């Protein structure tokens, strides 16, 4: 009986646990900065990254975090205007995240490799020379790299 009560107590103690913010706490003036890569053309993996970015934004609040998603290799499909997916909602989700100022970046090297023109991208997608270098430089300047 004592073990049951102890087990129940431990279980209930986890239900009330909240995440503690590290200092300095996120604010409008000092937002958390996250960068996610999308390198796969797999719909499940793309959806997972989009959901993870959305969950991070919901937790911190869109005004207390900045999110960038860098698409390169097969992940470039994420930001194409014409959906090549079975799941047509991926482009809708990308556009929705953009309304919350989530920045999507396409890799220029990948675009060159696959013969993709900038006008084939969703409106508002930024193009950089090399997606992998963008990830490196953002991390060096303090952005948190997240690979769900």
């Amino acid at each position: 009986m004592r073990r049951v009560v102890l087990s129940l107590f431990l279980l209930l103690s986890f239900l009330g646990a909240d995440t503690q913010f590290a200092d300095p706490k996120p604010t409008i003036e000092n937002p958390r900065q996250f960068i996610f890569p999308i390198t796969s053309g797999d719909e499940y993996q793309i959806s997972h990254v989009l959901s993870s970015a959305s969950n991070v934004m919901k937790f911190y609040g869109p005004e207390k975090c900045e999110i960038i998603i860098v698409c390169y290799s097969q992940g470039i499909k994420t930001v194409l205007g014409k959906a090549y997916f079975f799941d047509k909602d991926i482009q809708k989700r990308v556009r929705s995240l953009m309304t919350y100022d989530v920045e999507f970046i396409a890799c220029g090297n990948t675009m060159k490799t696959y013969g993709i023109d900038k006008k084939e991208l969703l409106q508002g997608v930024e193009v950089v020379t090399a997606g992998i270098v963008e990830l490196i430089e953002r991390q060096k300047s303090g952005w948190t790299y997240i690979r769900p």
Side-chain angles (χ1 to χ4, degrees):
M1 178 69 174
R2 189 172 167 192
R3 286 185 187 181
V4 172
V5 171
L6 182 58
S7 296
L8 185 60
F9 176 74
L10 287 173
L11 178 66
L12 292 175
S13 69
F14 288 117
L15 293 176
D18 273 338
T19 300
Q20 297 295 315
F21 290 114
D23 287 325
K25 295 187 180 4
T27 63
I28 292 172
E29 295 82 23
N30 187 29
R32 295 287 194 256
Q33 297 174 311
F34 306 101
I35 190 159
F36 294 79
I38 297 180
T39 60
S40 170
D42 178 74
E43 295 174 49
Y44 174 78
Q45 290 183 14
I46 292 168
S47 182
H48 184 65
V49 172
L50 297 177
S51 293
S52 295
S54 180
N55 288 337
V56 165
M57 186 177 46
K58 286 176 189 174
F59 181 82
Y60 287 101
E63 69 284 351
K64 294 180 184 174
C65 68
E66 295 175 2
I67 298 174
I68 294 175
I69 299 176
V70 180
C71 303
Y72 61 100
S73 188
Q74 289 292 312
I76 197 78
K77 295 177 183 178
T78 307
V79 292
L80 293 176
K82 184 174 179 184
Y84 293 95
F85 302 111
F86 178 73
D87 178 2
K88 303 296 185 206
D89 286 338
I90 287 178
Q91 266 74 13
K92 288 179 188 174
R93 292 173 64 200
V94 169
R95 286 187 193 101
S96 175
L97 286 168
M98 289 173 131
T99 65
Y100 288 99
D101 294 328
V102 173
E103 186 178 346
F104 283 82
I105 296 178
C107 173
N109 288 337
T110 298
M111 291 172 64
K112 228 181 274 180
T113 299
Y114 293 122
I116 298 170
D117 191 81
K118 180 159 174 52
K119 63 185 171 203
E120 295 177 65
L121 301 176
L122 291 168
Q123 188 176 9
V125 173
E126 183 183 339
V127 177
V128 296
T129 304
I132 193 76
V133 173
E134 186 71 15
L135 290 169
I136 293 165
E137 292 304 314
R138 293 291 180 140
Q139 287 178 80
K140 294 294 286 177
S141 67
W143 288 70
T144 302
Y145 176 84
I146 300 181
R147 179 115 188 160

